[in-house]
Amino acid sequence: MEEKIFDLAIIGFGPAAITAGIYASRYKLNSMIIGKTKGGMITTAHLMDNYPGIEDVSGIDFTDKIVKHLEKYKECKIKEDEVIGISEIDNNFFISTKDGENIKSKSLIIATGTEKRKANIKGEKEFIGKGVTYCTTCDGFLYKNKKVVVLGSGDSAFNSALYLSNIAEKVYLICRKCSPSTENKNLIEKVEENEKIEILYETEVEEIKGEKMVEKIITNKKEEIEVSGVFIEIGLIPQSVLFQNLNIEFENNFIKINKYCETSKKGVFAAGDITTGFCELKQVITAEAMGAVSATYANKYLKTK
Amino acid sequence: MEEKIFDLAIIGFGPAAITAGIYASRYKLNSMIIGKTKGGMITTAHLMDNYPGIEDVSGIDFTDKIVKHLEKYKECKIKEDEVIGISEIDNNFFISTKDGENIKSKSLIIATGTEKRKANIKGEKEFIGKGVTYCTTCDGFLYKNKKVVVLGSGDSAFNSALYLSNIAEKVYLICRKCSPSTENKNLIEKVEENEKIEILYETEVEEIKGEKMVEKIITNKKEEIEVSGVFIEIGLIPQSVLFQNLNIEFENNFIKINKYCETSKKGVFAAGDITTGFCELKQVITAEAMGAVSATYANKYLKTK
């Protein structure tokens, strides 16, 4: 019995991966998407309004739309599973998953994105799931009429504060710096105008305290602030550890690609938030563009293989 | 009275320009879009199914969606007009339009796209509007139950033939080369399987003939083929002539940009099909990604100006 070999394996399940799957299907490639979280990071977006043609959509509804679009194309198999190992022999790729599957493929698109960064504050680890969270849209509803704090100074922190202002009694937004890191003036304005949000600049959280659940935080100014929830929104870590043994080039753990989404290794492409070198603006629309580019050049690569 | 000056002028009105307008609005820039054709080239697409989240949509319906999305943001003025002149003094840009408007702006995004290439066949010019056309979706309906010919070997020619097969009695698809230029196997299969379409490879059209309207074509093999319509789909010309005096860098008349959509001149950005150097794959999704990138870095530029 001949072993099944895919033309293309797409690792990840966010907008970049899904777009790669759609394009690969249109090129009639026999492909498979393997990812643990349908939609990836975008599912945590409360409201998205910068994807042209789809106004005011939640990350979850947007994910449903693009996954449904992909599912129409039968050429791309979908596997909700976690990749735990990957190796290469003679330009073929061998992927093993948590569910015990072994998948063989002639080419690879890596689109595993990024995950939220930990703050390394005293008490943070202890209170994860007991008041400390990294996903506002997942856990926000738990804090109805309670006091919460958001840590961070970028778009995600400001968006998180806004989102929580609709739920919580009071939102503290704590920035280590003296000004926001985002250039989105629209966003800054909305936060500043919001009566429920209090921004504390040049402030750090030194400790998260409580009995069984979070009760308060202590700042570097030795202030105690009573809160039930601590939302940490301080940046992203590329999910690239798995691919270190593929001998591809990295930069600060992001995967280096050129304008064809090629990595430094033949047959290995990358797209979306995990990449650097091609498109540095991280947005759904740019991730999808890279998904389209990666599938297009994977198709060209397979033709010449 | 102080003269009105925009933060940003976006020239063009296709997906790249519209996305730039949406992003610019979210950055609270005071901007204006100036373009003669709402939607640009995409309006000529019969059916688009590779824009994730919006399935099976006509180019015109897609345009309506993204224009409606843009119109929600009041920060970006929309002007359906043709730019006829542009100049720069001290990093400010002066734009004059066919309707006699003079617009002043601190920065510029060029997103004027491409137009269809002429074939330079004997009779072509004479019969434009009398059977010779460059827009299948605009004129296809005129050829119900008639015989037509499509010239070209790329995606647009193959799509054109498919579209016309639903209308015309018979479609000849004439390629100069011995094989299609497109790598879209899905598309090639559909055309080859279509009983109404006959593909003639390694064939050229030498003359288009008729009394008042097109009646037949003569090939280089001296064959006469009776047709009422000649659809020319042989490539694109970048709409960049207007910008030659801006001292920006070109490559084969496409505007050279880097990964921030910057041209070689400060304050001038470009996005979409008119560009080269950043993203070479020309698709709606990539044009829009460039629109987002160009507005983002225009915003950064304006902050430091």
Side-chain angles (χ1 to χ4, degrees), chain A residues 23 49 51-52 73 280 283, chain B residues 23 49 51-52 73 259 283:
Chain A
Y23 270 76
D49 194 38
Y51 187 80
Y73 290 98
E280 307 300 355
Q283 296 280 293
Chain B
Y23 270 76
D49 194 38
Y51 187 80
Y73 290 98
K259 66 181 178 178
Q283 295 281 293

Side-chain angles (χ1 to χ4, degrees), chain A residues 19 23 26 49-53 55-56 68-69 72-73 184 186 259 278 280 283 285 288 303, chain B residues 19 23 26 49 51-53 55-56 68-69 72-73 183-184 186 259 278 280 283 285 288 303:
Chain A
T19 306
Y23 270 76
R26 292 173 64 88
D49 194 38
N50 60 6
Y51 187 80
E55 294 175 44
D56 284 333
K68 179 171 158 278
H69 198 160
K72 190 165 89 176
Y73 290 98
N184 190 334
N186 194 333
K259 67 181 176 177
F278 177 30
E280 307 300 355
Q283 296 280 293
I285 196 80
E288 291 192 350
K303 285 239 168 64
Chain B
T19 306
Y23 270 76
R26 292 173 64 89
D49 194 38
Y51 187 80
E55 296 174 42
D56 284 331
K68 179 171 159 278
H69 198 160
K72 189 165 89 175
Y73 290 98
E183 310 220 356
N184 190 335
N186 196 333
K259 66 181 178 178
F278 178 29
E280 307 301 353
Q283 295 281 293
I285 196 80
E288 291 191 352
K303 286 237 166 66

Side-chain angles (χ1 to χ4, degrees), chain A residues 232-266:
Chain A
I232 299 175
E233 294 283 358
I234 54 165
L236 303 165
I237 303 171
Q239 299 302 295
S240 61
V241 176
L242 260 178
F243 311 104
Q244 300 286 354
N245 68 334
L246 281 181
N247 282 321
I248 55 177
E249 215 177 317
F250 293 88
E251 192 175 302
N252 296 323
N253 295 316
F254 289 87
I255 297 175
K256 281 193 83 171
I257 58 168
N258 63 16
K259 67 181 176 177
Y260 308 111
C261 287
E262 294 168 334
T263 69
S264 55
K265 189 178 198 74
K266 263 195 190 308

Side-chain angles (χ1 to χ4, degrees), chain A residues 2-232:
Chain A
E2 209 185 339
E3 197 190 2
K4 164 92 175 170
I5 178 161
F6 286 93
D7 293 323
L8 172 65
I10 301 163
I11 305 182
F13 203 174
I18 290 166
T19 306
I22 292 172
Y23 270 76
S25 300
R26 292 173 64 88
Y27 296 133
K28 295 273 172 193
L29 298 181
N30 178 11
S31 69
M32 178 180 255
I33 277 194
I34 315 144
K36 60 179 172 178
T37 318
K38 193 193 274 190
M41 180 93 84
I42 188 66
T43 54
T44 66
H46 171 46
L47 203 66
M48 188 169 104
D49 194 38
N50 60 6
Y51 187 80
I54 303 183
E55 294 175 44
D56 284 333
V57 67
S58 73
I60 287 171
D61 287 347
F62 179 75
T63 297
D64 286 346
K65 278 179 198 286
I66 60 175
V67 170
K68 179 171 158 278
H69 198 160
L70 171 65
E71 284 171 346
K72 190 165 89 176
Y73 290 98
K74 301 305 174 200
E75 292 86 354
C76 181
K77 303 275 167 292
I78 297 176
K79 192 161 174 45
E80 278 193 73
D81 193 354
E82 190 179 341
V83 173
I84 54 168
I86 185 156
S87 59
E88 179 248 318
I89 302 169
D90 293 338
N91 276 334
N92 284 319
F93 302 93
F94 298 85
I95 299 157
S96 51
T97 76
K98 207 169 178 176
D99 288 355
E101 290 260 5
N102 290 297
I103 295 144
K104 190 175 170 187
S105 178
K106 294 179 205 166
S107 67
L108 202 65
I109 294 175
I110 303 171
T112 44
T114 54
E115 280 195 359
K116 297 292 177 74
R117 189 177 295 279
K118 306 280 183 290
N120 294 322
I121 294 166
K122 195 174 166 189
E124 176 184 0
K125 209 173 161 183
E126 187 188 338
F127 286 108
I128 287 178
K130 297 170 185 168
V132 170
T133 172
Y134 305 86
C135 179
T136 303
T137 43
C138 314
D139 297 330
F141 72 97
L142 297 169
Y143 298 89
K144 199 165 160 66
N145 299 326
K146 295 185 176 173
K147 291 177 183 164
V148 298
V149 61
V150 177
L151 271 59
S153 60
D155 275 59
S156 55
F158 274 63
N159 274 315
S160 171
L162 270 186
Y163 180 78
L164 290 165
S165 72
N166 291 320
I167 301 166
E169 181 197 331
K170 167 94 185 179
V171 181
Y172 299 94
L173 176 56
I174 296 193
C175 305
R176 290 171 61 178
K177 303 173 192 172
C178 58
S179 63
S181 305
T182 172
E183 312 220 356
N184 190 334
K185 283 193 178 173
N186 194 333
L187 186 59
I188 298 171
E189 261 180 37
K190 278 189 182 168
V191 169
E192 286 176 345
E193 286 166 3
N194 191 304
E195 290 183 354
K196 277 194 177 172
I197 303 174
E198 183 178 339
I199 312 182
L200 307 173
Y201 288 112
E202 293 184 306
T203 304
E204 290 188 48
V205 177
E206 287 200 337
E207 193 178 351
I208 300 166
K209 287 179 112 172
E211 284 287 320
K212 288 185 182 164
M213 302 291 283
V214 169
E215 288 169 16
K216 61 185 169 189
I217 56 165
I218 320 287
T219 73
N220 57 337
K221 296 164 187 170
K222 305 303 167 200
E223 290 165 313
E224 289 197 1
I225 304 177
E226 282 186 16
V227 291
S228 310
V230 180
F231 290 80
I232 299 175

